Amino acid sequence: MTMEHSTDSRGAVVLDGRQGEGGGQIFRSALTLSLCTGKPVRIDHIRANRRKPGLMRQHLACARAAAGISQGTLRGDELGSTTLEFTPGPIVGGEFSFSVGSAGSSGLVLQTVYLPLLFADRPSKLRIEGGTHNAWAPSADFLLHSFLPQLELMGAEVSLRMDRAGFFPGGGGQISVEIQPLSSESSPYEMLSCGERKEVRAWTRSAYLDQHIPAREIAAIRRKFAPRDIPYEEFWHEESSGPGNTVQVAVVHDRVTQVFTGFASRGVPAKKVAHDVAVEAKRFLAAEVPIGEYLADQLLLPLALLAGGRFRTSKLSKHALTNIDVLHRFFPGIVRVQEESEAVDLVEVRLA
Amino acid sequence: MTNTVLFSFYGTTLDRSVDGDGTPLAKRWSKWRPTLSLCQHEELLPDRLEILVQPRFRAAAEGLVQDIGAASPETEVRLHEIPMEDPWDFSEVYAHLRDFAKSYSFQEEEEDYLIHITTGTHVAQICLFLLTESRHLPGRLIQTSPPAASTRRHRRQVASGTYTIIDLDLSRYDELAARFQQEHQEGTSFLKDGIATKSPTYNSLMDQIEVVASQSEAPILLTGATGVGKTRLARRIYERKQQARAGGHDLGDFLEVNCATLRGDGAMSALFGHEKGAFTGAVTRREGILQAADGGLLFLDEIGELGLDEQAMLLRAIEDGVFYPVGADRPRRSSFQLIAGTNRNLHQAVERGRFREDLLARIDLWSFCLPSLCERTEDIEPNLDYELARWEQKHGHRVVFSREARRKFLHFATSPQALWRANFRDLGAAVTRLATLAGFGRIHEEHVADEIQRLEQSWGQSHEMATSRHLDPGLEGLMSRLSDELDRFDQFQLREVLYVCQQESSMAAAGRALFAVSRQHKRSQNDSDRLRKYLARFGLEWDSIPRRSV
């Protein structure tokens, strides 16, 4: 899949929002790459084929965060707008507060801005209000246990603290993130095998719900992994503003941890939510690759900008392929995907 | 970028988020809370939410504010206490909300306002609607609904439900305006302009005219006092005929002339045209009104004012379809339908030699007398609505009476105190004034009270002017006998002339007094003769006018 190569009269990189996965991903990756390269960007047809097309609140929050850390300028930053122009300014670092309401995820805002802030000349502190555990977005648990340790391997010091859990629809969550500027050149990243498996563990996060819900989830997961013993924990979030429940299963290897998250939903039995997460974790284990679907997707941009390197993963998702397309618009040919088998891809990313 | 600002009542039941002690309700996130739902849509970002709350519910509302802060951290929430005692008391709620709207500093350039009408008592909702309609709240309405039962399983639907934004600016709804037009075209009677008149005499009159207009090309005479709508009816007859011809050959033009403007030398050439060089100043040939009306319809209003020569020529034109322009040797042809209008008694004019008997006989074939407004008070209400609708069409926004104001206006309008001297002209003027003064809002009782005063004053003035010249009882009797036949214009003149005659000792003295100005210009030499002729028009002689001892 390739995107049409074009720039507009200002020299801005022009992207077609309908390509690939066609959602917010192109949009966020484009903002990040624009910030890191200093190139202006224009995204047309944003979410054009969605039921409610154009920018929604969560996208607007990302766009404003991007402008906020760089004193960049935005055009078309309105709800429902299907075209957005962004001209970044210099990235200075410092303290920032962002908020994203409705069903917005604090993780997606962080995803948009952490890379450029690594290139700032001073440390940054972010406080992001919004959901911490939203469906279709990296949860605070995923960021903490899966993603940030891999960033660390690329030489990036990013620490995250979940101040308050925030579930849909109550929201009210908050994360605090500290980002240290990159200190030195890092050695290439390589994650080709799982290494030694340490454990599989599970935990639930709940607020204002019946006790039996997490209990049933844990039971379902332990049953699925029987006879292996699964250590588990129950976390209760009194500080949350609304009810919520997620169940996490982590597959912990020597150098990499995969977190799988199930989101409880009205009308869906707790048992089923837990069961589905367990199935997902088991499928990953069976694939015997070190990097899972979501992590693969998240690693492409930092690899290109921080370290370069390669990893082995299960078949790349549409999200990941879209990310590669956007990357190629800024750095042609920087990613190479080698299909090792029907189920396994080897991904190699050059340092930009 | 404009900010979105929402106004919403704290709904004491639907928005309830805490119990009596202020402890958050456990199940609140699983129920739909309308005011909160406003802040839970991905494509609607309220930059500010103004929550209106009765003081005793303030603490409870704080609980809601807390939850909005969590669910929508981008939104600034402000609580406004509205000190209502009884949220079901219409006037109280309205007054408080109006005060709130007045004191709020709206910045329409920078902010987009949405007024939520799903919470609050029905009375509060109605008041918000009214204040939005009257532009006291310069925004659009927003209505929220809970998620449909069938979609409750979808996580994203649970909390927010749906919303609809309603813009009350009717001028935006072209279809509505078009439909309005349509209704008029297809209304029960086209001739009545779609006005649902109730007066049985008027309605049967319209039915007759309808038949005549569609069947006959013969002249029609419309009589009735000033302002009863003769011109409007003539135009509708023309349009009706045009409609009937749709698809066939075209009807000519509609020409409308007020004969009172055609007196003197110019009358002939204006009506019938003239040849080049027919008289001094006739540098070019003039076609004339009759020629222009060829194939169409000519409405001659106040036909009683037409001079006798013109009457003769007109008769020929109607009967034979030919007439002679001034200075022409050959006749011209023109075939048109004549509608004549008059507020005079033409039969009396014939008796006095002011109107040709043969012409009257010709145009009197279809004679319809339009009743004055006082004679059909039951039609004042539909005509009031008609005038309001006309205003709306012309100005693009609705003007409505408040219920009480409408009652008050109609009560006065149908009472004997309402003289409606200029009939529909007065009614139309009253509506124009009311609508203008009400601005974009509603017509209130105070507007109506002022207007009643204005109407009474204008009628009172003319009445006073008409009666301030006290005449001898015998002359007063004459005046009242003539009042049905004479225009107010002529009544005033006659009264003044008689008043002067009463005062003066001789006809010459009266003549000097009456024609004092033109005497100075030496235009009129024989004042006595002029006065004698004037009096003769009313069957009066100098000697029959009683003298007053001075």
Side-chain angles (χ1 to χ4, degrees):
Chain A
M1 192 190 312
T2 54
M3 285 192 183
E4 197 192 322
H5 285 236
S6 64
T7 52
D8 72 3
S9 54
R10 299 180 308 143
V13 177
V14 180
L15 294 164
D16 185 336
R18 291 171 299 192
Q19 301 253 1
E21 148 282 342
Q25 182 69 61
I26 298 178
F27 169 82
R28 283 185 298 271
S29 296
L31 289 173
T32 305
L33 290 168
S34 168
L35 284 162
C36 293
T37 58
K39 285 186 191 171
V41 68
R42 194 181 91 206
I43 309 119
D44 294 326
H45 312 292
I46 299 168
R47 303 181 69 256
N49 301 324
R50 298 296 163 99
R51 193 171 60 88
K52 290 174 180 170
L55 297 175
M56 298 288 115
R57 285 172 66 170
Q58 50 168 321
H59 310 114
L60 207 54
C62 292
R64 292 190 173 154
I69 62 157
S70 69
Q71 282 150 21
T73 53
L74 289 165
R75 279 181 61 193
D77 54 330
E78 280 171 42
L79 290 172
S81 167
T82 51
T83 295
L84 184 87
E85 287 180 20
F86 176 55
T87 310
I91 293 143
V92 287
E95 295 198 11
F96 303 99
S97 297
F98 303 118
S99 45
V100 52
S102 172
S105 149
S106 52
L108 290 177
V109 177
L110 176 65
Q111 190 194 59
T112 312
V113 298
Y114 80 89
L115 268 172
L117 289 174
L118 283 166
F119 294 98
D121 50 8
R122 55 187 170 123
S124 300
K125 282 186 177 179
L126 305 183
R127 212 182 62 209
I128 309 175
E129 287 180 279
T132 56
H133 291 75
N134 299 65
W136 307 298
S139 71
D141 281 306
F142 172 87
L143 293 171
L144 211 50
H145 303 287
S146 285
F147 179 65
L148 293 182
Q150 298 307 304
L151 268 193
E152 206 179 324
L153 291 177
M154 298 178 208
E157 279 183 67
V158 178
S159 66
L160 180 146
R161 191 181 70 221
M162 184 171 83
D163 304 322
R164 297 191 302 268
F167 303 98
F168 180 82
Q174 183 177 301
I175 56 172
S176 293
V177 182
E178 287 190 29
I179 299 169
Q180 301 301 324
L182 288 174
S183 50
S184 59
E185 285 284 306
S186 58
S187 51
Y189 171 92
E190 193 162 276
M191 196 62 68
L192 298 178
S193 63
C194 301
E196 195 188 329
R197 186 203 302 163
K198 292 164 80 175
E199 61 175 351
V200 174
R201 54 191 190 90
W203 65 98
T204 57
R205 296 198 182 274
S206 318
Y208 310 112
L209 291 172
D210 281 348
Q211 299 277 339
H212 67 78
I213 290 176
R216 272 184 210 161
E217 288 168 341
I218 296 293
I221 283 169
R222 302 188 82 188
R223 209 161 36 240
K224 194 73 196 159
F225 280 93
R228 190 188 297 151
D229 184 41
I230 303 284
Y232 69 88
E233 278 178 283
E234 270 186 35
F235 296 101
W236 288 91
H237 294 276
E238 292 293 321
E239 84 286 0
S240 169
S241 72
N245 164 261
T246 58
V247 51
Q248 282 76 204
V249 174
V251 177
V252 185
H253 284 93
D254 216 2
R255 293 170 63 223
V256 59
T257 297
Q258 305 290 327
V259 174
F260 300 92
T261 311
F263 298 89
S265 172
R266 268 173 80 90
V268 182
K271 210 167 69 179
K272 179 167 169 31
V273 174
H275 173 85
D276 290 352
V277 184
V279 167
E280 210 184 342
K282 287 193 93 169
R283 197 180 295 139
F284 170 72
L285 282 166
E288 295 192 312
V289 290
I291 302 293
E293 180 187 334
Y294 302 118
L295 201 46
D297 179 21
Q298 304 277 317
L299 291 180
L300 293 164
L301 265 64
L303 272 176
L305 293 159
L306 304 179
R310 47 192 193 143
F311 62 86
R312 190 167 277 129
T313 181
S314 45
K315 202 86 202 134
L316 285 175
S317 68
K318 206 169 183 186
H319 258 89
L321 292 172
T322 305
N323 258 340
I324 293 172
D325 277 329
V326 180
L327 257 174
H328 280 171
R329 290 302 314 285
F330 287 83
F331 310 112
I334 201 172
V335 184
R336 236 184 60 202
V337 181
Q338 199 184 320
E339 196 175 65
E340 292 194 322
S341 74
E342 228 167 87
V344 180
D345 282 340
L346 178 68
V347 181
E348 207 172 333
V349 184
R350 267 190 295 118
L351 180 60
Chain B
M1 191 177 154
T2 53
N3 280 342
T4 301
V5 179
L6 287 160
F7 293 88
S8 179
F9 257 102
Y10 169 72
T12 53
T13 309
L14 287 174
D15 282 336
R16 207 158 90 94
S17 308
V18 292
D19 66 15
D21 331 321
T23 316
L25 295 170
K27 295 275 178 198
R28 69 193 191 284
W29 288 102
S30 51
K31 78 173 194 161
W32 178 71
R33 286 175 281 170
T35 300
L36 174 81
S37 82
L38 290 168
C39 305
Q40 288 182 302
H41 293 278
E42 263 294 274
E43 71 289 353
L44 179 71
L45 173 53
D47 295 280
R48 201 164 69 244
L49 172 62
E50 310 280 14
I51 297 180
L52 312 180
V53 62
Q54 275 182 270
R56 65 196 177 101
F57 290 108
R58 185 180 179 115
E62 306 267 14
L64 176 71
V65 173
Q66 193 111 39
D67 283 346
I68 293 171
S72 185
E74 306 101 307
T75 307
E76 179 196 350
V77 187
R78 301 204 291 207
L79 277 176
H80 300 269
E81 288 189 18
I82 305 291
M84 298 181 298
E85 297 280 314
D86 178 5
W88 291 97
D89 181 314
F90 197 94
S91 57
E92 192 199 345
V93 175
Y94 186 84
H96 278 300
L97 287 178
R98 204 179 147 151
D99 286 349
F100 172 78
K102 266 189 180 164
S103 64
Y104 192 91
S105 75
F106 290 101
Q107 280 151 7
E108 289 176 75
E109 298 294 305
E110 286 123 57
E111 300 186 330
D112 186 20
Y113 300 103
L114 293 172
I115 293 99
H116 185 217
I117 50 164
T118 304
T119 47
T121 60
H122 292 326
V123 170
Q125 292 167 12
I126 292 163
C127 290
L128 286 176
F129 178 94
L130 293 175
L131 289 165
T132 306
E133 197 203 18
S134 61
R135 309 292 300 161
H136 286 95
L137 293 170
R140 290 171 297 165
L141 298 174
I142 183 166
Q143 207 175 8
T144 52
S145 341
S150 59
T151 59
R152 273 180 207 238
R153 279 171 164 261
H154 293 278
R155 301 168 46 88
R156 275 162 197 278
Q157 282 280 332
V158 172
S160 48
T162 55
Y163 66 88
T164 320
I165 291 174
I166 307 147
D167 195 338
L168 290 178
D169 183 355
L170 289 182
S171 64
R172 296 190 185 205
Y173 299 117
D174 288 346
E175 321 92 89
L176 276 187
R179 205 174 71 194
F180 179 83
Q181 191 80 28
Q182 184 104 13
E183 278 165 9
H184 272 245
Q185 300 297 328
E186 294 167 356
T188 47
S189 169
F190 183 84
L191 295 177
K192 291 188 288 186
D193 255 345
I195 306 171
T197 51
K198 294 174 191 154
S199 158
T201 39
Y202 182 76
N203 284 349
S204 79
L205 182 69
M206 284 302 121
D207 290 343
Q208 289 173 41
I209 297 178
E210 162 88 30
V211 174
V212 172
S214 54
Q215 307 281 327
S216 165
E217 299 288 317
I220 294 172
L221 178 63
L222 302 177
T223 62
T226 176
V228 292
K230 295 189 288 287
T231 308
R232 197 154 83 191
L233 181 58
R235 184 170 281 280
R236 295 303 282 179
I237 290 174
Y238 171 75
E239 287 167 1
R240 181 76 188 81
K241 291 176 97 74
Q242 210 174 28
Q243 227 179 24
R245 296 244 189 140
H249 60 288
D250 265 1
L251 187 64
D253 291 339
F254 176 75
L255 277 101
E256 175 196 338
V257 185
N258 188 322
C259 297
T261 64
L262 289 181
R263 302 181 105 163
D265 293 339
M268 259 310 194
S269 77
L271 279 172
F272 306 104
H274 62 241
E275 290 299 319
K276 186 177 170 183
F279 49 85
T280 321
V283 242
T284 53
R285 188 175 161 266
R286 184 177 183 180
E287 195 186 34
I289 292 162
L290 259 68
Q291 192 69 66
D294 190 16
L297 195 147
L298 174 62
F299 176 54
L300 291 180
D301 200 7
E302 300 195 33
I303 197 166
E305 303 300 315
L306 208 59
L308 288 167
D309 293 344
E310 287 82 13
Q311 290 176 25
M313 186 75 89
L314 180 64
L315 178 63
R316 177 99 199 267
I318 300 167
E319 288 190 323
D320 307 330
V322 294
F323 60 93
Y324 285 89
V326 181
D329 303 327
R330 289 160 167 235
R332 291 266 157 68
R333 297 208 151 264
S334 175
S335 154
F336 57 90
Q337 182 170 17
L338 177 73
I339 297 181
T342 184
N343 49 25
R344 280 188 174 216
N345 183 334
L346 289 179
H347 292 281
Q348 236 163 39
V350 167
E351 279 172 31
R352 294 196 191 111
R354 285 277 302 114
F355 203 81
R356 290 183 67 109
E357 192 170 11
D358 46 5
L359 179 60
L360 178 60
R362 198 73 187 79
I363 63 176
D364 200 19
L365 177 62
W366 299 111
S367 172
F368 301 101
C369 180
L370 300 183
S372 62
L373 198 49
C374 296
E375 293 169 281
R376 40 188 284 232
T377 49
E378 62 268 61
D379 285 345
I380 288 179
E381 187 166 7
N383 273 288
L384 177 67
D385 291 332
Y386 171 79
E387 293 294 344
L388 286 169
R390 260 197 350 163
W391 169 274
E392 179 188 336
Q393 246 196 335
K394 196 168 162 195
H395 298 269
H397 65 265
R398 268 178 80 84
V399 171
V400 280
F401 276 90
S402 75
R403 195 188 143 95
E404 196 44 36
R406 186 184 174 91
R407 199 194 59 74
K408 196 167 176 172
F409 184 79
L410 286 173
H411 179 77
F412 167 76
T414 54
S415 72
Q417 282 78 47
L419 301 178
W420 298 118
R421 285 189 194 275
N423 293 290
F424 291 100
R425 214 163 286 150
D426 279 349
L427 183 65
V431 168
T432 301
R433 284 191 295 260
L434 283 167
T436 308
L437 292 174
F440 280 81
R442 306 171 72 80
I443 299 170
H444 293 293
E445 276 181 85
E446 56 266 30
H447 294 130
V448 168
D450 291 348
E451 179 57 29
I452 289 174
Q453 218 167 23
R454 268 194 299 272
L455 285 170
E456 279 183 327
Q457 204 172 6
S458 78
W459 296 330
Q461 264 170 10
S462 50
H463 186 67
E464 205 177 299
M465 264 175 70
T467 52
S468 62
R469 296 305 205 193
H470 292 293
L471 300 177
D472 177 86
L475 291 177
E476 265 319 332
L478 171 83
M479 284 306 297
S480 70
R481 277 198 303 284
L482 286 173
S483 66
D484 286 338
E485 300 156 21
L486 281 184
D487 274 343
R488 273 164 68 199
F489 180 87
D490 295 317
Q491 286 182 40
F492 278 71
Q493 194 177 23
L494 179 59
R495 181 176 286 276
E496 183 69 14
V497 170
L498 292 178
Y499 183 75
V500 171
C501 290
Q502 275 185 152
Q503 312 288 326
E504 300 298 334
S505 52
S506 70
M507 188 148 70
R512 276 197 298 278
L514 287 165
F515 302 110
V517 177
S518 46
R519 269 176 72 82
Q520 283 174 9
H521 297 286
K522 298 198 160 80
R523 266 196 245 123
S524 168
Q525 295 300 336
N526 199 341
D527 302 327
S528 310
D529 191 47
R530 218 171 145 188
L531 178 57
R532 186 184 301 112
K533 281 180 178 161
Y534 178 79
L535 291 174
R537 273 169 60 189
F538 304 98
L540 288 167
E541 283 172 19
W542 173 256
D543 291 334
S544 64
I545 297 171
R547 294 279 87 65
R548 277 212 177 150
S549 49
V550 187

